[in-house]
Amino acid sequence: MPTQGGLMDVLLYLVPGVITAACVLGGVQVIRRALRTSRMWARGLTAEARCLNTYTRTSGGNGTAAHSTLHHVYEFTTREGERFRFDEAGGDSTVVAGDHLVVRYLPERPQSATALQPARGRLILGTAVLVAFLAVVGTGCVLFAVSARSAL
């Protein structure tokens, strides 16, 4: 059975290790999503879609600042005749149910379509800021674990 000091040592490495791993996985996901979106904008096929619904999802509250995100549900038909629906966050607030617009999709992943208009600069900046934030958090966790070890 581990001693009280041994348990603290494990926690001093386990907690920062888990947070660092989550930051690395999050960074990989953010970069993969940005690359997929960029490919859709550059080489994706286009299709006419119809907005089926809009809704907002609110997070936070209970003493913290609440944040609402606008979501759209779109439906489109691929060139092969397959019908797909997808939900996308952060779209144009002037698009309402019943509107028709162009979506872009990759033939191998039509379920991951986007109605967002190409904005490469915004995509690069947003991705860089998020990856930098995750890198700072992950680096902070590693530095914490190293400094905690040297303090023991």
Side-chain angles (χ1 to χ4, degrees):
M1 185 160 140
T3 64
Q4 185 72 12
L7 182 60
M8 283 301 284
D9 288 346
V10 169
L11 287 177
L12 281 174
Y13 295 117
L14 183 64
V15 172
V18 168
I19 293 172
T20 301
C23 288
V24 169
L25 291 174
V28 168
Q29 287 297 96
V30 166
I31 291 169
R32 288 180 69 201
R33 186 183 67 212
L35 291 172
R36 185 174 53 241
T37 300
S38 182
R39 278 195 314 272
M40 279 189 281
W41 287 342
R43 299 189 309 266
L45 302 176
T46 59
E48 182 177 321
R50 187 168 62 95
C51 178
L52 301 176
N53 190 21
T54 62
Y55 65 96
T56 56
R57 182 171 288 158
T58 304
S59 60
N62 296 334
T64 64
H67 176 76
S68 294
T69 304
L70 178 64
H71 287 253
H72 293 88
V73 179
Y74 298 106
E75 181 176 74
F76 72 99
T77 303
T78 65
R79 292 183 181 175
E80 291 76 28
E82 293 181 87
R83 185 170 288 182
F84 286 93
R85 286 185 181 181
F86 68 97
D87 181 310
E88 186 168 58
D92 187 351
S93 63
T94 62
V95 175
V96 296
D99 285 355
H100 291 263
L101 64 156
V102 173
V103 296
R104 289 173 174 77
Y105 68 95
L106 295 172
E108 66 274 10
R109 292 191 60 140
Q111 68 277 11
S112 298
T114 184
L116 298 174
Q117 294 301 311
R120 285 174 185 27
R122 183 176 178 184
L123 179 66
I124 291 168
L125 180 62
T127 302
V129 167
L130 195 50
V131 168
F133 172 76
L134 293 170
V136 167
V137 171
T139 302
C141 287
V142 169
L143 291 175
F144 172 80
V146 168
S147 67
R149 173 67 181 152
S150 58
L152 294 176

